[in-house]
Amino acid sequence: MGAQISKQKERRKSLSTEKKTLCDLSGSCGTDFPGCDYRPKDRKIWMSELNPEKLHINQIVWPGTHDSATNKIGIPCITRPFAQCQSLSIYKQLSLGTRVVDIRIQEDRRVCHGILKTYNVDVVLNDVKRFLSETQSEVIILEIRTEFGHEDPAEFDKHLEQQLGEFLIHQDDHVFQKPISELLPKRVICIWKPRKSPQPKPGGPLWSSGYLKDNWIDTDLPSTKFDSNLKHLKDQPPVSSRKFFYRVENTVTPQADNPIVCVQPVTSRIHGYARLFITQCHSQGCADRLQIFSTDFIDGDFVDACAGATHARIEGKA
């Protein structure tokens, strides 16, 4: 018991130190970066506002959500706080400006997060189709994977093709260099990551797992995650030459041996430092590597920061 108490005291001390580190960094360096003052007139169509003929796929700083379809996961007030990473539906996230969604599913096609589950994945696909029907030039990256510990749903690749076929941008390395206007009316890059089933084939309507990479680390310490994100981002090739999408997650993860195990109070430790991260990317010389930037509980300011960074690239300011 004494050892456990001592361990918790050390954890609280570490957490306090890490919070102060980010707070001090923000105070000393600020959060100004090229495009930081930009605000879309309408977040629902922020890509359209940037001109699809000028906006290339590899210029976009994509605002994404982590564990995107968890707004109704588990039992409210009982198990939901331990797994909920978003409070909005997929449709509302897309309308707010989210352009990358992260979906985990199990054998019966229900969305899940670990052992907790929620609605059928068709709820997600219908939300995506509704959003696409209401917009003209917004491109979405839809990542769907079989959750760890689960089996792949039967013939799920065929299901995705049936549901989204008319919108699917086919797997092709040349896509990264193209402006949105050359891809229209197709507007969904769907990355399917099965655990055991065959990977999508080159040239097909779905993209294989190697096209979306990240370096996730399991920590609830905000400065540790912030620094790790920068370190791994620096190791990536610039977006101008990259033939895959690379994701940075502005999130931290509850730890089982910590008294606070609900997602929202833990991830809030880093949530407010998204603009600081973009600023540090510029000051440390890796802004040309930033591409997908994801968060828990996405809000409008996060979208604005990504849209602003994208606008600066189009204008040649970043």
Side-chain angles (χ1 to χ4, degrees), residues 19-265:
K19 286 181 174 179
K20 186 176 186 301
T21 297
L22 288 183
C23 184
D24 289 349
L25 182 64
S26 181
S28 62
C29 297
T31 55
D32 289 344
F33 56 85
C36 65
D37 294 331
Y38 179 83
R39 298 291 185 276
K41 295 178 181 178
D42 183 352
R43 295 187 183 109
K44 187 173 182 177
I45 55 169
W46 70 264
M47 287 183 170
S48 300
E49 290 180 3
L50 294 179
N51 189 347
E53 294 183 358
K54 293 176 60 178
L55 180 57
H56 290 69
I57 293 297
N58 63 8
Q59 291 178 307
I60 300 168
V61 179
W62 303 75
T65 52
H66 164 248
D67 260 311
S68 306
T70 54
N71 57 308
K72 293 185 177 180
I73 200 162
I75 303 171
C77 302
I78 299 177
T79 58
R80 184 170 298 171
F82 302 110
Q84 184 182 31
C85 299
Q86 307 297 331
S87 58
L88 301 176
S89 69
I90 295 299
Y91 172 76
K92 289 183 178 179
Q93 289 177 43
L94 295 172
S95 296
L96 182 65
T98 301
R99 293 296 176 264
V100 182
V101 291
D102 156 29
I103 311 297
R104 293 99 183 277
I105 57 173
Q106 58 185 31
E107 299 86 345
D108 60 1
R109 296 184 181 175
R110 293 181 71 176
V111 175
C112 61
H113 184 182
I115 62 172
L116 297 180
K117 57 191 177 182
T118 181
Y119 40 70
N120 189 284
V121 72
D122 283 352
V123 173
V124 172
L125 300 180
N126 288 335
D127 273 5
V128 168
K129 289 187 287 186
R130 177 186 173 189
F131 173 77
L132 293 172
S133 73
E134 296 174 356
T135 57
Q136 294 183 333
S137 305
E138 305 303 303
V139 176
I140 299 167
I141 298 175
L142 172 62
E143 178 198 21
I144 304 186
R145 71 178 90 170
T146 302
E147 180 70 304
F148 180 79
H150 292 277
E151 297 296 322
D152 301 322
E155 299 187 328
F156 191 67
D157 53 346
K158 294 180 181 178
H159 184 66
L160 288 172
E161 293 174 34
Q162 290 169 355
Q163 292 294 313
L164 299 172
E166 64 181 301
F167 298 111
L168 293 173
I169 298 169
H170 285 220
Q171 184 184 146
D172 178 2
D173 286 356
H174 294 99
V175 165
F176 295 94
Q177 307 290 337
K178 292 183 177 181
I180 288 176
S181 60
E182 287 189 19
L183 301 174
L184 298 176
K186 299 183 182 297
R187 293 191 281 143
V188 178
I189 296 172
C190 184
I191 301 171
W192 165 225
K193 296 183 175 182
R195 294 188 61 79
K196 296 179 181 178
S197 302
Q199 288 282 330
K201 296 179 180 179
L206 305 178
W207 295 59
S208 56
S209 60
Y211 280 102
L212 177 49
K213 303 179 182 181
D214 56 35
N215 290 101
W216 179 80
I217 64 167
D218 188 11
T219 182
D220 62 352
L221 298 174
S223 183
T224 295
K225 183 63 176 289
F226 191 97
D227 291 343
S228 175
N229 284 342
L230 280 171
K231 174 182 177 296
H232 289 297
L233 185 63
K234 291 175 182 177
D235 293 337
Q236 306 307 313
V239 294
S240 59
S241 61
R242 191 186 298 160
K243 301 301 182 184
F244 61 89
F245 295 101
Y246 184 77
R247 172 171 51 205
V248 172
E249 290 189 338
N250 191 57
T251 64
V252 287
T253 308
Q255 301 298 300
D257 63 348
N258 193 290
I260 303 176
V261 291
C262 296
V263 174
Q264 191 156 23

